Amino acid sequence: PYLYFAAIFAAVTYLSFSPKITSVIRDISLVVTTFYILEFLSSAIKYAIFTFLGKQENSETKKKQARGLIIILRVLIWTLGLVFLVDNMGYNVTTIITSLGIGGIAIALAAQTVLGDLFSYFVIFFDRAFEIGDFIIVGDQTGAIEYIGVKTNRIRAITGEQIICANKDLTDSRVHNYKRMIKRRVVFNIGVTYDTPPAKIRKIPEIIKGIISTN
């Protein structure tokens, strides 16, 4: 397709058409060229992110987490690309940008919860407090992370059901991540009778240490 549109561009450049036909051909060429450039940029960013994540541990899990980020970047690229396209077609983009700004403020006020979950998604993705497959406890909920999305996370509870939590609920809560637990500390209460001699009590730590060391 690139050679085809290059030929059209050459034809427009060297052949004589009426101003109206030339304008139509120019606009079509701009639309098609912009489409392919935006697709190329989107694919390049996706490839770069996946290549970077592919070199890390649990790459497949991290690629699943990055899908939401890729969608957001794709929307931003296409929004900016369409604004530049409209500008190159001769239209006044000042009004469009102003409308986007006013509309963005209105949307932000109307969707504070959604935007809060969106920013929480970035926190989860970049901070990596937990990942897909981690076994966590949040409040009174216990289970393994199955899915991390732009708006919600899905946890498979130990009782079998799926728990759907908003991203902001997780980032605002204390999360116990048991997958990353290196050591488990357990407190044992050892009782002795009141008539136990002090000499024997002083030997108890060494006796317990010997039992643990031999096992």
Side-chain angles (χ1 to χ4, degrees):
Y2 298 102
L3 295 176
Y4 176 74
F5 291 111
I8 294 178
F9 179 78
V12 174
T13 303
Y14 295 104
L15 298 179
S16 297
F17 295 99
S18 64
K20 186 175 182 180
I21 294 176
T22 302
S23 177
V24 171
I25 295 175
R26 176 179 174 275
D27 291 343
I28 293 174
S29 300
L30 281 174
V31 170
V32 175
T33 303
T34 303
F35 172 80
Y36 279 105
I37 290 175
L38 295 179
E39 278 292 318
F40 172 78
L41 290 175
S42 300
S43 300
I45 291 175
K46 180 179 179 181
Y47 175 78
I49 293 174
F50 277 8
T51 302
F52 173 75
L53 295 177
K55 297 177 181 179
Q56 301 182 10
E57 295 182 2
N58 301 322
S59 59
E60 293 301 322
T61 299
K62 293 178 180 178
K63 287 179 181 179
K64 291 180 181 179
Q65 290 181 238
R67 290 175 181 173
L69 177 63
I70 291 172
I71 292 173
I72 295 171
L73 292 176
R74 187 178 178 87
V75 170
L76 290 176
I77 290 171
W78 277 89
T79 301
L80 293 175
L82 292 176
V83 171
F84 282 115
L85 173 63
V86 173
D87 182 48
N88 288 322
M89 292 177 70
Y91 296 97
N92 186 6
V93 297
T94 304
T95 305
I96 298 175
I97 295 174
T98 304
S99 300
L100 288 174
I102 297 173
I105 295 173
I107 293 173
L109 293 174
Q112 294 183 29
T113 304
V114 176
L115 291 176
D117 290 327
L118 177 60
F119 286 116
S120 296
Y121 167 77
F122 287 114
V123 172
I124 293 170
F125 181 79
F126 289 106
D127 193 47
R128 298 177 183 173
F130 53 84
E131 299 175 346
I132 296 175
D134 289 5
F135 187 85
I136 66 171
I137 295 179
V138 182
D140 58 346
Q141 306 296 336
T142 304
I145 298 290
E146 281 192 337
Y147 173 81
I148 298 176
V150 176
K151 177 72 173 64
T152 60
N153 284 262
R154 297 169 193 172
I155 303 172
R156 181 64 61 182
I158 57 176
T159 50
E161 74 273 17
Q162 188 181 68
I163 303 170
I164 300 175
C165 301
N167 291 341
K168 196 171 185 303
D169 291 341
L170 291 178
T171 54
D172 290 345
S173 303
R174 290 183 176 86
V175 179
H176 300 259
N177 193 332
Y178 278 85
K179 184 178 179 182
R180 299 182 183 178
M181 182 175 62
I182 301 174
K183 296 180 180 179
R184 181 187 292 271
R185 179 172 293 179
V186 181
V187 178
F188 293 98
N189 294 319
I190 300 175
V192 294
T193 60
Y194 288 106
D195 58 347
T196 304
K200 288 187 177 181
I201 293 177
R202 285 192 289 268
K203 291 180 180 180
I204 291 176
E206 292 298 327
I207 293 172
I208 295 174
K209 183 178 180 180
I211 294 172
I212 295 173
S213 300
T214 54
N215 294 325

